[in-house]
Amino acid sequence: MKISTKGRYGLTIMMALAKKSGEGPISLKSIAKDHNLSEHYLEQLIAPLRNALLVKSVRGAYGGYMLAKDADQITAGDIIRVLEGPISPVEVVDDEEPAKRDLWIKIRDAVKDVLDNTTLADLANYEDKGNQEYYMFYI
């Protein structure tokens, strides 16, 4: 499973809104500028997030977007599902060998567990401890 720029930038938008929660609406222009991203692309991503009731928009000169719920009520899984679709690294086929089918299900469940137990508040308040080893997993 590979998360596309839709999911990555969607998390960026949501984390930016979470970090500025309580400060009023935040414009996509300021998020785009702060993160060196295309405002036009962020506009395409915000619509499904708004339709999923994860963000709300405020019109007007001082308008923008804000979280529709508290950051600890929104998970990374909520955001990724809206922008990427169902979380399934491998299509599970019923007639596959039971051992392989079980492995695919365990991988899917592990990914879902991480995404569904990581809140937007966790991401927004994350502090890098500097001792994390980075691995590249290709599934």
Side-chain angles (χ1 to χ4, degrees):
M1 175 178 176
K2 194 169 188 174
I3 304 294
S4 72
T5 56
K6 285 169 58 172
R8 296 170 70 99
Y9 291 179
L11 282 172
T12 299
I13 293 169
M14 296 297 285
M15 288 170 62
L17 295 177
K19 288 177 182 177
K20 303 234 180 197
S21 185
E23 296 180 17
I26 309 300
S27 71
L28 284 183
K29 184 175 192 163
S30 68
I31 296 172
K33 183 180 175 194
D34 291 347
H35 297 278
N36 198 26
L37 300 172
S38 162
E39 181 182 356
H40 179 70
Y41 190 48
L42 298 187
E43 288 170 356
Q44 294 174 27
L45 301 179
I46 201 75
L49 294 169
R50 190 180 63 242
N51 292 340
L53 305 177
L54 296 178
V55 298
K56 56 186 173 182
S57 60
V58 177
R59 294 185 178 270
Y62 298 102
Y65 294 90
M66 48 201 310
L67 296 180
K69 307 179 204 176
D70 289 336
D72 60 359
Q73 301 288 309
I74 300 171
T75 67
D78 296 333
I79 299 162
I80 296 300
R81 282 184 189 90
V82 166
L83 296 171
E84 299 282 356
I87 298 164
S88 185
V90 177
E91 181 92 21
V92 178
V93 181
D94 288 334
D95 63 349
E96 194 156 30
E97 296 172 54
K100 287 181 1 188
R101 186 177 62 238
D102 189 52
L103 174 64
W104 306 145
I105 290 170
K106 285 179 183 176
I107 291 169
R108 179 201 64 204
D109 291 347
V111 170
K112 283 183 179 182
D113 185 57
V114 169
L115 291 172
D116 290 337
N117 288 296
T118 303
T119 68
L120 186 54
D122 295 333
L123 295 171
N125 299 321
Y126 179 79
E127 292 182 26
D128 189 5
K129 308 244 185 310
N131 58 1
Q132 177 74 32
E133 289 189 39
Y134 296 97
Y135 296 99
M136 180 62 72
F137 295 99
Y138 293 98
I139 299 175

